[in-house]
Amino acid sequence: MHAMILNAIGQPLRWTEMPERTPGPGQIRLTVAACGVCRTDLHVVDGELASPQVPIIPGHEIVGRIDAIGSGVEGLRVGERVGVPWLGHTCGICSYCRSGQENLCDAPLFTGYTRDGGFATSVIADARYTFPLGDEGDDAALAPLLCAGLIGWRSLGKAGEGKRLGLYGFGASAHIVAQVAAWQGRSVYAFTRPGDLVTQAFARTLAAVWAGGSDEMPPEPLDAAILFATVGDLVPLALKAVRKGGRVVCAGIHMSDIPSFPYRVLWEERQLVSVANLTRQDGLDFLTLAPKIGIVTTINRYPLAQANTALADLRHGRFEGAAVLTV
């Protein structure tokens, strides 16, 4: 097998030939067809997450077909197409796992962060933490659903049922969530980098009723806002943009420090919450619903060997939608 490996924090990934791996009990091996490139991959490469592990193969929006099955695996077959998400394993015994909050597990493993991921021609996965994808749809187009879509879906649930929804940072997640929100009958307000007219126009093509810079106030108070941009300075701005009793959801796994702000900004029962990871039920619910909604992902394809270019383009906002590595 071949992989793009992170050998040292802050360094480029290296194209590496490795021995093919054999799945152990409860595991499957996939031949990777496509793997999305997520902002979390940048956090991994930059060492912004706790206890960075190297060497590591990044990538956690994996689409592939099973080519080997370990002992004890039921309900999956060789040749079946499945998706592998960020949450790669949970302990099953901590209080969070036992109360339906496996996304908060005390001893989890995360694909592409604490276990090798999909920037490779092959990947080993815990069979219980994969999602059957069927045979409909393009591999690369499905890949962003495995994290950008899933985290967006969980964030949308945390935002509540309000009709006026603000999305701060209109990248891979927001361009999917906007379609879900519009299908639900909500009005989407898109916030981009100030002056980014191209992305604002892109948001309008996905049913945003208003698009402007993150330094602007929307034309009317929002019921809720989701922050996909990992910029702590946006938190007080988003709180100012929501109505009394409104909610701001921080969707990222990492964010720059939130500055101090007057209590008046939070007062009147505004709420500030975060989203952590996902549950398998989130995945089952969203991936069942996505074809009914008719979600169309805007993707930018890169060969696996150009993973560093894809990461750099993501870092500097050089494309709309999502980046996907193809094998």
Side-chain angles (χ1 to χ4, degrees), residues 144-314:
L145 301 182
L146 272 299
C147 182
L150 287 177
I151 290 299
W153 172 251
R154 186 169 181 87
S155 300
L156 190 59
K158 289 286 187 181
E161 299 180 355
K163 295 297 184 182
R164 296 187 300 274
L165 177 70
L167 302 177
Y168 284 77
F170 206 85
S173 282
H175 100 286
I176 295 172
V177 170
Q179 297 176 62
V180 179
W183 179 80
Q184 292 176 333
R186 307 187 196 221
S187 297
V188 173
Y189 298 73
F191 296 81
T192 72
R193 293 185 181 93
D196 188 352
L197 301 182
V198 173
T199 302
Q200 291 168 21
F202 175 58
R204 293 188 189 97
T205 68
L206 294 173
V209 299
W210 177 89
S214 57
D215 57 346
E216 300 178 49
M217 284 292 108
E220 53 189 333
L222 306 173
D223 295 312
I226 302 174
L227 271 62
F228 294 112
T230 58
V231 182
D233 287 344
L234 294 178
V235 169
L237 293 176
L239 284 168
K240 291 177 182 178
V242 300
R243 61 167 174 78
K244 292 181 285 187
R247 183 177 298 177
V248 173
V249 180
C250 298
I253 191 172
H254 172 80
M255 179 179 279
S256 61
D257 288 349
I258 300 171
S260 62
F261 54 86
Y263 176 62
R264 179 67 180 81
V265 175
L266 181 63
W267 189 57
E268 295 174 318
E269 299 194 353
R270 292 174 179 86
Q271 301 171 57
L272 178 62
V273 300
S274 69
V275 166
N277 314 314
L278 67 140
T279 67
R280 284 173 286 178
Q281 192 61 50
D282 291 329
L284 294 172
D285 292 343
F286 175 69
L287 293 171
T288 299
L289 187 61
K292 300 176 183 178
I293 297 173
I295 293 172
V296 176
T297 54
T298 298
I299 57 172
N300 302 268
R301 300 172 188 255
Y302 297 79
L304 174 61
Q306 293 182 13
N308 289 312
T309 301
L311 286 166
D313 288 350
L314 173 61

Side-chain angles (χ1 to χ4, degrees), residues 6-18:
L6 176 68
N7 288 305
I9 296 299
Q11 296 299 309
L13 308 184
R14 297 297 182 189
W15 178 262
T16 306
E17 184 175 359
M18 306 169 60

Side-chain angles (χ1 to χ4, degrees), residues 5-14 40-58 112-114 308 311 315:
I5 296 182
L6 176 68
N7 288 305
I9 296 299
Q11 296 299 309
L13 308 184
R14 297 297 182 189
T40 301
D41 296 316
L42 287 178
H43 298 321
V44 170
V45 169
D46 293 343
E48 293 175 327
L49 305 183
S51 304
Q53 175 179 312
V54 290
I56 192 73
I57 303 172
Y113 172 38
T114 56
N308 289 312
L311 286 166
R315 186 188 302 278

Side-chain angles (χ1 to χ4, degrees), residues 32-103:
V32 177
C35 185
V37 181
C38 177
R39 186 158 295 276
T40 301
D41 296 316
L42 287 178
H43 298 321
V44 170
V45 169
D46 293 343
E48 293 175 327
L49 305 183
S51 304
Q53 175 179 312
V54 290
I56 192 73
I57 303 172
H60 56 274
E61 297 179 325
I62 308 168
V63 176
R65 291 190 180 271
I66 300 171
D67 66 13
I69 298 178
S71 62
V73 175
E74 299 180 355
L76 295 172
R77 56 180 173 77
V78 170
E80 184 175 1
R81 185 169 68 169
V82 298
V84 182
W86 169 250
L87 186 65
H89 174 82
T90 59
C91 71
I93 59 174
C94 70
S95 61
Y96 297 105
C97 286
R98 289 186 283 106
S99 62
Q101 296 176 289
E102 65 181 9
N103 60 306

